[in-house]
Amino acid sequence: MKRLAILLIVAAALLAPSAALASGVVLKVQKATHLVAVTNGKAKVSLVHSAAASRLKVGERVSMQARTLRNGTLAASSMRVIGRTHKVHFRGLLLKRSGTRMMVSAGGAIIALNRGAARTTASANDTGPQPGTTVDVTATVTNDDELDEDNVSTVSAATPGGAIEGTLTLGTGKITVVSEQMALVINVPSTFDLSKFANGDEVLAKFSQGADGTLTLTDLSGDDNAQEANTDDDGDNGGGDNGGGDHGGGGGGGGDDGH
């Protein structure tokens, strides 16, 4: 009996959502929705639900304890600033490019990049990465929390798709998701049931991209807060984590790490 009880405890621990310590650099802060885009040392970007969002700045290096929610975003139970860097590195899907700006989808966040002075005049000879490609980005953090492009190189021209977090507008056979930086129109397959969603919902939309550049919805989940992000497609809450209890965030800021 004692052996059975031990096995049941171990099984429950394995099934429970795990929390882990992690660190990274802040790429974007969405104060209104309490979301922070963080890139780790391997160029992966994660969207993190955190009450500390209002106190964070782009370029700050943070340490956090977080758990993965059902829609792939994270909920941080604690987050503190441990340093600052003037350089960031991440990968994402290039969505739009003009003479002065680039928009990259990374982990669901739309990251805006100011293009370098040598690239501000678009021309037929501009052979840089094209929209629809996966790109590797290095950028400099400016004093006003923006990112200036240092280098953007193509990783893959055959990109399966990306994601965007923002406000939902329902259409006929389409949805529009509006982030702080841009709006994306995404085709919706007839097999999708959108009856649980309404105009104005905060959502995370994942999409594939066709050869002609059209976007097709592959997954849609609520993202108003960590509890909503942790709800499965049947409306059941998976664990009830609301991502609350964030503390720190201000954390003194630390010195520049010169990265």
Side-chain angles (χ1 to χ4, degrees), residues 47 71 73 105 107-110 161-168 175-178 184-188 192 197 202-208 215-223:
L47 269 179
N71 71 350
T73 60
S105 167
I110 304 300
I164 181 173
E165 198 282 339
T167 304
L168 175 69
I175 61 170
T176 301
V177 181
V178 182
L184 285 185
V185 178
I186 306 172
N187 293 327
V188 180
F192 263 87
F197 298 94
E202 197 73 18
V203 297
L204 178 65
K206 299 177 183 179
F207 53 83
S208 62
L215 308 180
T216 301
L217 188 67
T218 59
D219 187 67
L220 186 66
S221 58
D223 208 43

Side-chain angles (χ1 to χ4, degrees), residues 127-229:
T127 58
Q130 300 299 310
T133 60
T134 298
V135 291
D136 189 89
V137 178
T138 56
T140 297
V141 181
T142 69
N143 292 331
D144 52 2
D145 278 1
E146 293 191 353
L147 297 176
D148 287 348
E149 170 202 358
D150 290 334
N151 184 67
V152 178
S153 58
T154 299
V155 175
S156 172
T159 302
I164 181 173
E165 198 282 339
T167 304
L168 175 69
T169 299
L170 297 169
T172 303
K174 301 177 186 294
I175 61 170
T176 301
V177 181
V178 182
S179 76
E180 291 179 335
Q181 302 290 351
M182 68 183 303
L184 285 185
V185 178
I186 306 172
N187 293 327
V188 180
S190 59
T191 53
F192 263 87
D193 179 11
L194 299 179
S195 61
K196 295 178 292 184
F197 298 94
N199 290 332
D201 284 352
E202 197 73 18
V203 297
L204 178 65
K206 299 177 183 179
F207 53 83
S208 62
Q209 181 161 354
D212 60 353
T214 58
L215 308 180
T216 301
L217 188 67
T218 59
D219 187 67
L220 186 66
S221 58
D223 208 43
D224 281 328
N225 50 52
Q227 185 170 353
E228 179 71 17

Side-chain angles (χ1 to χ4, degrees), residues 1-14:
M1 185 71 179
K2 184 176 180 181
R3 179 184 176 88
L4 177 60
I6 292 174
L7 289 174
L8 288 173
I9 291 172
V10 171
L14 291 174

Side-chain angles (χ1 to χ4, degrees), residues 70 196 226-241:
R70 288 181 183 268
K196 295 178 292 184
Q227 185 170 353
E228 179 71 17
N230 207 34
T231 301
D232 62 22
D233 292 339
D234 296 322
D236 298 324
N237 184 270
D241 180 18

